[in-house]
Amino acid sequence: GSGIASQSVQHADSITSPATSKPHYTLEGWYFDAGLTSKVTFPYIVTRNMTLYAKWTPIVYSIGYDLRGGEAANPASYTVESGAVTLNNPSRHGYAFAGWTGTGLPATPVMNVTIPAGSSGNRAYYAHWTSVTYYISYNLNGGSPVSNPGSFTIESPGFTLNNPTRTGYAFAGWTGTGLSGNTASVTIPAGSTGNREYTANWAPYVCTV
């Protein structure tokens, strides 16, 4: 802490707690011994020469997070005595982590954040995300090409597949991802994730004579 000059007082004079400060610490109290086991109660009556020892506790600084829908386990606080703290990057279903912004960071998100040992001050960090693109492949089994999306994200609105056509055949339905059998109409709901594959199935027209 900040130095305090030795003081002379008269025998049996009363003293109050000496004022001192130390960056990033709070004064817990004064003690008679260097081991900080015997605490001084103020005001104190002086009857002998003595040395008093200050006890300091590090200030606890907060670390706030706005994960914006993600999840991660990271410390909520630290002190100047903490070792270096490297943030765990969060995860979020349907999204790829795009980096952090916040205290001491540039405006452009950065992927890795470490709070160096000896740091101080409250901090706040914000997670950024990009939606993952999922792909849809189609096997039309001889059918005519039809306009259907080749990809989607978790943010895409729901959509229903357009059914293909094939000369001489009736469309018998789709099979593929998430389907239990031939399905005449397939809808991919909003909020869906994962790559998908669909196969068109056909039934030949039966001609009677």
Side-chain angles (χ1 to χ4, degrees):
S2 299
I4 300 176
S6 297
Q7 300 178 38
S8 296
V9 297
Q10 296 295 322
H11 179 83
D13 274 358
S14 173
I15 62 170
T16 58
S17 177
T20 184
S21 62
K22 183 178 181 180
H24 315 306
Y25 289 81
T26 56
L27 180 65
E28 189 274 338
W30 291 92
Y31 287 76
F32 292 112
D33 61 308
L36 305 177
T37 60
S38 179
K39 191 172 185 178
V40 182
T41 299
F42 295 99
Y44 180 75
I45 303 299
V46 178
T47 59
R48 59 185 173 86
N49 294 329
M50 65 180 62
T51 299
L52 301 183
Y53 299 86
K55 180 178 179 180
W56 301 96
T57 56
I59 294 172
V60 177
Y61 298 107
S62 66
I63 311 175
Y65 306 92
D66 183 352
L67 299 183
R68 296 172 178 176
E71 296 181 348
N74 279 308
S77 62
Y78 74 104
T79 75
V80 73
E81 294 181 355
S82 300
V85 177
T86 298
L87 301 189
N88 294 312
N89 290 341
S91 60
R92 183 183 178 189
H93 182 65
Y95 292 83
F97 180 62
W100 298 99
T101 56
T103 305
L105 301 179
T108 302
V110 297
M111 291 299 296
N112 299 299
V113 173
T114 295
I115 302 172
S119 296
S120 61
N122 297 328
R123 293 169 178 262
Y125 296 105
Y126 307 87
H128 295 261
W129 304 95
T130 56
S131 54
V132 175
T133 299
Y134 300 102
Y135 296 94
I136 311 173
S137 62
Y138 303 92
N139 178 1
L140 298 184
N141 254 342
S144 300
V146 65
S147 176
N148 275 316
S151 64
F152 68 99
T153 75
I154 196 171
E155 296 179 352
S156 299
F159 57 92
T160 299
L161 301 187
N162 294 309
N163 295 336
T165 58
R166 182 181 177 188
T167 302
Y169 291 81
F171 180 65
W174 298 100
T175 54
T177 304
L179 304 178
S180 58
N182 284 358
T183 304
S185 179
V186 173
T187 296
I188 300 176
S192 297
T193 58
N195 296 325
R196 293 168 180 257
E197 297 180 356
Y198 295 107
T199 298
N201 296 277
W202 306 97
Y205 285 122
V206 177
C207 297
T208 58
V209 178

